[in-house]
Amino acid sequence: MKAGKTFNYSLLALACAAALASTSVFGQSTTGSIAGQAQPGAIVTVTSNTGVVRKSNVDSSGHYSITSLPVGNYTVTLQRDGATVSTRSDVQVVVNSSADVSFASEANAKSLSTISVTAAAIPPIDVTSVDSRTVITAKDLEKLPIGRTAEAIAMLAPGVVAGSSYFSGPTGNQLVSFGGASVSENAYYINGYNTTDPLNGLGGIGLPYGAIDQQEIFTGGYSAKYGRSTGGVLNQVGKRGTNEWHFGFQVQWAPDFLASNPKNVRYPNSQLPDGYHYQDPSLPGTIYRSRKDNKSTTTTYDAYVGGPLVKDKLFLFAAVEAQKQDGKSTSPSSVSAPYNNIYTYSTPKHYVKLDWNINDSNILEFTNISNKNSYTSNEYAYDYVTGKQGALIGHDLWTKTGSDIYIGKFTSYITDDLTFSATYGLNRAIDFSQNPGVDPSLSYISGVLNQDPSITEGTVIGNDNTVGYMNPPDAKYRSRGLRLDLEYKLGDHLLSAGIDNINSSAIDEGQGQSGPGYWWIYSQSRTPNKPLSTHYGIGAPGGNGYYVRKYVYSTATSMSVDQKAQYIEDRWQVNDRWLLNIGLRNDQFTNYNNVHQSYVHNTNQWAPRLGFSWDVFGDSTFKVFGNLGRYYLALPNSVAIRAASASTYTYEYFTYAGIDPATGAPTGLKPLGAGPISANGEFGQAPDAKTVAATNLRSQYQDEAILGFNKMLGSSWMYGAKITVRKLQTAIDDVCDMDALATKAIAQGIDPDNVVFPNGCLIFNPGRTNTFLLANADGNGYSKVTMTNKDWGFNSGAKRKYYALDLFLEHPFDGKWQGRIDYTFSRSYGNTEGQVLSTIGQDDVSKTQDWDFWQLMEASNGVLSNDRTHQVKAYGAYQISPEWMVSGSLQVASGAPRVCLGYYAGPGSELDSDPAGYYSSYHYCNGQPAPLGSLGRLPWTKTINLGVTYRPSFADKKLALNLDVFNVLNERQATVLDATYETSAGPGNVSNTYGMPLYQQQPRYVRLSATYDW
């Protein structure tokens, strides 16, 4: 839809394998396990610091395992004949990992008296895992200089890259891309509940930073228990109360006077080929946007308390966070009335966790999370000639977004071998916006630099409305989820089965326009006697080529989605060294429009998973692992916007004789066409739910293969390598060529006068044969039309392939220092990024302008937007003395591919250079094919963060003073360039902003903090 705002399983059946005794829970859980070796017939008892007690008998081979343990610290006791033989304390259970606690052999155990040992939490290599993940603990977060979001933490993991700066999550966080996938293909979890944004899948809700106990970053290979992601998974586990009371607080301050300015942005001044010229020849090289003093001050307050309400029974942990960012941003010089935006972001968060140990066999948990973001601003006139700020002229759009989440979980250890758990959650989200203090009769005015100077006398005419789009004031959405899990240990098998259901709905979501509901867009054609569009019958403006467009855009609607799944899984400990993980998941997705009519219904989506781990030497020092899996992705709620519900998206062309000096609106209008036009037929009509999507539509799914190893190097180091291959097997987008549909219908014997053809676009699987229904004109039933890829005119189907080699070297923290370095070589290539389109920032999920017409996909095959061929990541910390620690992180990545989207220059372009009516949106530049990657790449990005921590001994090390410097070298490379080559005035009229930086790296800033923990 036009922008508004195999791998197959026969490739590999690698032998399967794995580890020392154990069973760890996979996926987005909140638990781990303890396993090891001991004397056959002995009893192992684990006791948590919250009073949870679990027991296991050591089997005849000398192994034991205790699963489904809440994360935290445990004491492990070995008993024989009723007497305690050995005790290990301070054993930390990490989420989805198995802590190895092995005791003396049978012969030695007979001669041991009672002893106590303080043990390391987990072995350096977890041989019980078959997935690919990174776990960052609260202790890591205390040491490292990183941002305070789930995405910033995820960037520590290999293969994770920053997504396009066009996109952000529900609370404003920049998103990330995993393994070549688009930013909408990730899943977010907190304490086992899915907190992914239920509206469009762009980001999710995270915890207050100080409430994070652990964060897992899954980059592939997770089990059948979890799905709905073809990218990666960000799983946060919150802290919980223990049998000791603790409290603490923190203050962080990042002042603007210690921050650097972004770079000023100027209009590009490139040498253009013959026949091409800038739309406005006076602008190249001049200032587009001043960034002087475009800085901010961020202040954050955190506090927490945790402890027993009833010892060994009822526990509380509560954390609050209040963050405020005050800053300034200068508008581009091209707006109708340039201004300085003095803004404030307020981000209050809280987290409450209650744990009730009903008895030794039953646990009840309750979690409440709130994470919201409010934005307000005042706009003051700014004079680009003098550089002076003037009077208050208005406000930017005021917004409030975020969620309140409630989660309940019940766990029952029915027997030592049988565990049942049930999780229910509710996510209530807000999406509020308003345009305060603006006359509602004022239209937004765009393109003021293209106003006719014979009317303006060289001074642009605009108004005080600086807000183009806004959401309905009562927009909101919610989701609720239920999952039931049953786990049974049968000999060497850990069997699991369960259901995983989510329902989400939205009310009045979408966009409209401020003011009276339309814009005026001023433009100029450099070929004034040439029709603006022969395709739509838009005539020539004549004169000096000045004309204006009336732009109407309205998409608000309501919608809902049901997502259900069932799974079975067997973790089979084949022998002491080999572990197999075999699973099967079945997903069902149903999308509904505003009157709860289903327009997409997918069932029987079977996703097999196979993983292995091989403990090569049997001592957890060398692991070889692999994974094969299929992963399905549901369509989010927002697909109904513009696709399954009424929407309006039109332009109407005029010449004008004057401009109202008070409003900036054109006067003396003369039409250049027969009325409003819409490239996708969006004139406000409601589509028939049965005709919106292909009847045989398949969900997006991807196959993945992983093979790797981890190995100890001496006693203090480990290294490893991993190969990942991903192939997108099916994609979903929309197609808008109704002429092609009519042609095929006639060829199939359907009288076009007897059916109703859709006015908009259709949801389909690019590259597959799709069957559509056309409503019969007499209102009696439907007629079927079957469209092949060739019928639409496409030469190929949707393609996205990714391969990567990850190498790492790590020294875990030994009380003195820790460090890790990763290198990733990867390639993401094809013609389909995924659900969104980073080249132009289009967040119409699965309704991008790609695949709308075959001409838009010509010359599209190349590297993809999230491709970063080389990445180097490193982080570490060094304890200089008992009081002083220094830390740092490094992230280096090669640049994204450059993009140029121009007018069509393929076959037939001499007759129509805009056959889709999308203006400068084709993969052609200067009349030549321009697939991504053919024009080079953006510069490499390099970010170095450094920190120092002081914990004075006089405060018993409960007080910590930190200084962190982010982007020490003050790198400010462009991360996004304007990709639209030409203007709506036609071929050869090069946009003055083409190739101009739209986003750049955040400049250097300093963060000071003080923390007290008791």
Side-chain angles (χ1 to χ4, degrees), residues 193-194 198 228 406 423-428 477-483 500-505 560-563 596:
Y193 181 70
N194 191 315
R228 306 182 187 122
Y406 306 88
T423 303
Y424 180 81
L426 176 65
N427 181 349
R428 292 176 175 168
Y477 51 95
R478 61 183 287 175
S479 68
R480 61 182 187 274
L482 171 68
R483 68 171 299 130
D500 176 13
N501 298 341
I502 296 178
N503 172 270
S504 59
S505 58
S560 61
V561 179
D562 275 329
Q563 301 175 27
H596 205 66

Side-chain angles (χ1 to χ4, degrees), residues 227-271:
R228 306 182 187 122
S229 168
T230 49
V233 176
L234 296 82
N235 179 35
Q236 291 186 334
V237 179
K239 294 179 179 178
R240 64 181 68 211
T242 67
N243 268 322
E244 295 183 358
W245 281 102
H246 294 275
F247 71 85
F249 60 85
Q250 181 183 71
V251 178
Q252 290 194 332
W253 185 45
D256 57 2
F257 66 83
L258 292 179
S260 298
N261 288 318
K263 289 182 178 179
N264 288 339
V265 181
R266 293 186 172 272
Y267 284 102
N269 188 14
S270 302
Q271 183 68 39

Side-chain angles (χ1 to χ4, degrees), residues 88-109:
R88 303 284 180 91
S89 60
D90 294 329
V91 175
Q92 184 184 18
V93 171
V94 176
V95 63
N96 284 326
S97 294
S98 179
D100 178 16
V101 182
S102 294
F103 296 91
S105 67
E106 179 179 1
N108 291 334

Side-chain angles (χ1 to χ4, degrees), residues 68-274:
S68 299
L69 295 172
V71 298
N73 290 330
Y74 286 78
T75 298
V76 184
T77 303
L78 177 69
Q79 293 179 312
R80 188 178 70 245
D81 299 328
T84 298
V85 175
S86 183
T87 300
R88 303 284 180 91
S89 60
D90 294 329
V91 175
Q92 184 184 18
V93 171
V94 176
V95 63
N96 284 326
S97 294
S98 179
D100 178 16
V101 182
S102 294
F103 296 91
S105 67
E106 179 179 1
N108 291 334
K110 292 178 179 178
S111 63
L112 287 176
S113 60
T114 301
I115 60 172
S116 295
V117 180
T118 298
I122 56 175
I125 296 177
D126 179 11
V127 294
T128 69
S129 63
V130 302
D131 53 44
S132 298
R133 59 191 159 99
T134 300
V135 178
I136 304 297
T137 67
K139 291 182 179 179
D140 296 323
L141 298 179
E142 288 178 3
K143 301 185 188 88
L144 300 175
I146 56 178
R148 295 174 62 87
T149 67
E151 292 82 4
I153 299 170
M155 284 292 292
L156 296 175
V160 180
V161 304
S164 170
S165 302
Y166 278 123
F167 306 118
S168 60
T171 56
N173 301 338
Q174 183 177 353
L175 305 179
V176 291
S177 166
F178 287 73
S182 67
V183 295
S184 65
E185 299 175 39
N186 304 323
Y188 289 69
Y189 286 81
I190 295 178
N191 288 354
Y193 181 70
N194 191 315
T195 64
T196 310
D197 187 270
L199 179 63
N200 53 28
L202 291 170
I205 296 299
L207 289 169
Y209 196 74
I212 301 171
D213 187 23
Q214 299 170 21
Q215 177 170 319
E216 285 183 298
I217 305 103
F218 282 86
T219 53
Y222 49 90
S223 82
K225 293 183 179 182
Y226 300 94
R228 306 182 187 122
S229 168
T230 49
V233 176
L234 296 82
N235 179 35
Q236 291 186 334
V237 179
K239 294 179 179 178
R240 64 181 68 211
T242 67
N243 268 322
E244 295 183 358
W245 281 102
H246 294 275
F247 71 85
F249 60 85
Q250 181 183 71
V251 178
Q252 290 194 332
W253 185 45
D256 57 2
F257 66 83
L258 292 179
S260 298
N261 288 318
K263 289 182 178 179
N264 288 339
V265 181
R266 293 186 172 272
Y267 284 102
N269 188 14
S270 302
Q271 183 68 39
L272 300 178
D274 291 342

